[in-house]
Amino acid sequence: MYDYLIVGAGLFGAVFAHEASKAGKKVLVIDRRSHVAGNIYTKEVDGIQVHEYGAHIFHTSNKEVWEYVQQFAEFNRYTNSPVARYKDELYNMPFNMNTFSRMWGVKTPDEAKEEIARQIKEAGITEPKNLEEQAISLVGRDIYEKLVKGYTEKQWGRRATELPAFIIRRLPVRFVYDNNYFNDSYQGIPVGGYTQIVEKMLEGIEVRLNTDFFADRENLEAQARKIVFTGMIDEYFDYCFGELEYRSLRFETEELDCENYQGNAVVNYTEYEVPYTRIIEHKHFEFGCQNGSENPKTVVTREYPAKWKKGDEPYYPMNDEKNNALYDKYRELAQKEDKVIFGGRLGMYKYFDMHNVVAEALKCVREELGKQ
């Protein structure tokens, strides 16, 4: 008999399993995939750590979370500085003085503020009725048209005029010449990739891969006193209130016989006509990979947003009003379950970054162990 059956060997499940095992609990971890680490899984190709499920940059201002992950890997000093490509124009992200200088030829923060204020006033939007109007009322028409509109429409699979205004409550605008995307105190990528982190968390714990919880549910449930479920909460309850909506992703990865394909780890493609949202060049996540004599190859991934349907991999919850209201019904059911703990992005139907997942998992396992 196991104390905990953990469904999902991703970051939430691994943190919970690690802490429960340290406390002397007997734990079984299962995952339907053939590998651990969930969506942060990385694998080595020609000496390059490839992020199999999209770019993952660890960033946090939570010192406890930062120190916690340091136990399992050494992190480099990678700083996320994506480039946005609109047609043949290149812009720095997030919106900062480099962006504004490239777009309008301005040189000072006051000039940039004046131009944004002029465009907002010209638009005359007082009560934004949709995402398009909300974005224009925040940053003006130029930035919206070139850097927000197409990218957002591809991500959500809907036109910006059909998306609710509350999706973009704010857009980060910085009047400094600094391309650092995050404002967090700590940022980096583990040297040698993310998979090792989860592998170290799960050392000494029984893990069964290629194991689908729903294919053998009754038997698996009978083996444990409690279940930690990190899959889709609506699937757990057999979609009894209907399906929650998710966005999926499709990845096209190729190895190229060139040293350096795009000169940056992440380049966003912001025009709607380009079907992918970004190209990731994995070698730029780690320093020392750019030397041609040592590594003349590179690996790039094109990331395509996709409509989710049953059987597809869910990546992002669609946290609009309709879906959040539906989730509330599932959450009420979940709260009545004495034997099941729901966690992670899918179990809690909430968009979490990696540091949020670690913090939530630590909070959850401490509360759980504290009850005993």
Side-chain angles (χ1 to χ4, degrees), residues 28 81 102 110 212 320 342 356 361:
L28 169 63
S81 305
R102 172 81 176 87
D110 282 346
D212 187 340
D320 56 17
F342 294 87
N356 302 127

Side-chain angles (χ1 to χ4, degrees), residues 78-97:
Y78 178 82
T79 300
N80 189 28
S81 305
V83 170
R85 179 168 176 168
Y86 176 78
K87 298 185 177 177
D88 290 326
E89 300 169 16
L90 294 174
Y91 296 95
N92 291 108
M93 300 285 282
F95 312 137
N96 65 60
M97 285 305 299

Side-chain angles (χ1 to χ4, degrees), residues 58-60 62-71 75-76 186-189:
F58 202 98
H59 60 97
T60 185
N62 185 325
K63 189 175 183 182
E64 183 195 10
V65 166
W66 182 245
E67 289 177 349
Y68 185 82
V69 295
Q70 301 288 309
Q71 301 173 78
F75 281 68
N76 67 22
Y186 311 104
Q187 183 176 179
I189 287 176

Side-chain angles (χ1 to χ4, degrees), residues 54-283:
H56 285 83
I57 297 108
F58 202 98
H59 60 97
T60 185
S61 291
N62 185 325
K63 189 175 183 182
E64 183 195 10
V65 166
W66 182 245
E67 289 177 349
Y68 185 82
V69 295
Q70 301 288 309
Q71 301 173 78
F72 307 104
E74 177 191 349
F75 281 68
N76 67 22
R77 57 175 179 80
Y78 178 82
T79 300
N80 189 28
S81 305
V83 170
R85 179 168 176 168
Y86 176 78
K87 298 185 177 177
D88 290 326
E89 300 169 16
L90 294 174
Y91 296 95
N92 291 108
M93 300 285 282
F95 312 137
N96 65 60
M97 285 305 299
N98 289 313
T99 321
F100 309 140
S101 179
R102 172 81 176 87
M103 192 167 286
W104 302 313
V106 298
K107 295 177 177 61
T108 68
D110 282 346
E111 289 173 335
K113 287 176 184 175
E114 283 172 20
E115 180 58 30
I116 291 171
R118 184 190 69 75
Q119 291 191 20
I120 290 171
K121 185 179 178 183
E122 191 178 87
I125 298 164
T126 52
E127 291 183 25
K129 296 180 181 65
N130 53 51
L131 185 145
E132 177 167 291
E133 292 183 358
Q134 176 72 35
I136 292 170
S137 71
L138 290 170
V139 293
R141 190 166 290 279
D142 286 352
I143 294 171
Y144 167 71
E145 292 284 353
K146 291 188 175 184
L147 303 180
V148 178
K149 184 176 190 290
Y151 190 92
T152 304
E153 291 179 339
K154 287 188 285 189
Q155 278 286 67
W156 287 89
R158 297 180 199 166
R159 291 298 186 179
T161 49
E162 298 167 5
L163 290 166
F166 72 80
I167 289 175
I168 292 187
R169 296 191 190 279
R170 63 184 184 84
L171 283 166
V173 176
R174 299 177 192 162
F175 296 98
V176 290
Y177 288 92
D178 181 2
N179 300 322
N180 181 3
Y181 195 81
F182 301 120
N183 278 326
D184 288 305
S185 306
Y186 311 104
Q187 183 176 179
I189 287 176
V191 178
Y194 284 99
T195 305
Q196 60 176 325
I197 292 177
V198 173
E199 286 174 343
K200 287 173 186 172
M201 287 179 178
L202 296 175
E203 273 178 11
I205 295 169
E206 185 179 348
V207 178
R208 297 180 197 167
L209 300 175
N210 301 303
T211 301
D212 187 340
F213 172 74
F214 295 103
D216 193 21
R217 181 171 184 165
E218 199 172 316
N219 178 42
L220 286 165
E221 285 179 332
Q223 293 182 47
R225 293 182 178 86
K226 270 202 162 178
I227 296 165
V228 178
F229 186 80
T230 68
M232 297 186 297
I233 190 169
D234 52 341
E235 184 179 19
Y236 181 88
F237 291 111
D238 199 25
Y239 307 102
C240 63
F241 297 124
E243 291 178 24
L244 289 164
E245 287 183 89
Y246 303 86
R247 288 294 286 166
S248 193
L249 294 170
R250 180 170 63 83
F251 303 99
E252 284 182 1
T253 299
E254 60 179 330
E255 196 175 344
L256 302 174
D257 287 319
C258 72
E259 179 200 345
N260 189 344
Y261 178 74
Q262 63 185 16
N264 204 51
V266 181
V267 176
N268 293 343
Y269 284 75
T270 61
E271 58 184 296
Y272 187 78
E273 291 68 27
V274 177
Y276 42 86
T277 49
R278 57 185 180 176
I279 297 180
I280 301 158
E281 188 169 11
H282 301 269
K283 68 178 354 180

